[in-house]
PDB file of all heavy atoms in Angstrom:
ATOM      1  N   SER A  31     111.858 198.930  58.329  1.00 91.00           N
ATOM      2  CA  SER A  31     111.617 197.898  59.370  1.00 91.00           C
ATOM      3  C   SER A  31     111.200 196.611  58.742  1.00 91.00           C
ATOM      4  O   SER A  31     110.643 195.732  59.454  1.00 91.00           O
ATOM      5  CB  SER A  31     110.605 198.347  60.361  1.00 91.00           C
ATOM      6  OG  SER A  31     110.941 199.560  60.926  1.00 91.00           O
ATOM      7  N   ALA A  56     127.305 198.161  39.651  1.00 92.00           N
ATOM      8  CA  ALA A  56     126.267 198.985  39.029  1.00 92.00           C
ATOM      9  C   ALA A  56     125.491 198.104  38.025  1.00 92.00           C
ATOM     10  O   ALA A  56     126.072 197.317  37.303  1.00 92.00           O
ATOM     11  CB  ALA A  56     126.947 200.151  38.299  1.00 92.00           C
ATOM     12  N   GLY A  69     117.158 212.529  51.712  1.00 89.00           N
ATOM     13  CA  GLY A  69     116.441 212.614  50.411  1.00 89.00           C
ATOM     14  C   GLY A  69     116.659 211.368  49.588  1.00 89.00           C
ATOM     15  O   GLY A  69     117.485 210.533  49.932  1.00 89.00           O
ATOM     16  N   GLU A  79     133.299 205.634  43.761  1.00 84.00           N
ATOM     17  CA  GLU A  79     133.549 206.296  44.987  1.00 84.00           C
ATOM     18  C   GLU A  79     132.236 206.721  45.681  1.00 84.00           C
ATOM     19  O   GLU A  79     132.107 206.597  46.940  1.00 84.00           O
ATOM     20  CB  GLU A  79     134.389 207.599  44.769  1.00 84.00           C
ATOM     21  CG  GLU A  79     135.854 207.293  44.391  1.00 84.00           C
ATOM     22  CD  GLU A  79     136.569 206.410  45.377  1.00 84.00           C
ATOM     23  OE1 GLU A  79     136.410 206.615  46.590  1.00 84.00           O
ATOM     24  OE2 GLU A  79     137.244 205.488  44.941  1.00 84.00           O
ATOM     25  N   GLY A 116     136.634 208.539  60.758  1.00 82.00           N
ATOM     26  CA  GLY A 116     137.168 209.700  61.509  1.00 82.00           C
ATOM     27  C   GLY A 116     136.611 209.949  62.892  1.00 82.00           C
ATOM     28  O   GLY A 116     136.906 210.945  63.525  1.00 82.00           O
ATOM     29  N   ARG A 158     129.300 194.911  64.010  1.00 91.00           N
ATOM     30  CA  ARG A 158     130.041 195.800  63.118  1.00 91.00           C
ATOM     31  C   ARG A 158     129.139 196.358  62.063  1.00 91.00           C
ATOM     32  O   ARG A 158     129.266 197.603  61.664  1.00 91.00           O
ATOM     33  CB  ARG A 158     131.169 195.012  62.474  1.00 91.00           C
ATOM     34  CG  ARG A 158     132.090 195.854  61.581  1.00 91.00           C
ATOM     35  CD  ARG A 158     133.246 195.038  61.018  1.00 91.00           C
ATOM     36  NE  ARG A 158     132.737 194.048  60.092  1.00 91.00           N
ATOM     37  CZ  ARG A 158     133.557 193.135  59.461  1.00 91.00           C
ATOM     38  NH1 ARG A 158     134.847 193.261  59.628  1.00 91.00           N
ATOM     39  NH2 ARG A 158     133.067 192.254  58.623  1.00 91.00           N
ATOM     40  N   THR A 192     117.973 195.020  63.638  1.00 91.00           N
ATOM     41  CA  THR A 192     117.590 195.695  62.427  1.00 91.00           C
ATOM     42  C   THR A 192     116.107 196.094  62.484  1.00 91.00           C
ATOM     43  O   THR A 192     115.767 197.160  62.829  1.00 91.00           O
ATOM     44  CB  THR A 192     117.905 194.843  61.192  1.00 91.00           C
ATOM     45  OG1 THR A 192     117.398 193.538  61.387  1.00 91.00           O
ATOM     46  CG2 THR A 192     119.381 194.774  60.973  1.00 91.00           C
TER      47      THR A 192
END
Side-chain angles (χ1 to χ4, degrees):
Chain A
S31 304
E79 290 305 316
R158 184 178 64 180
T192 51

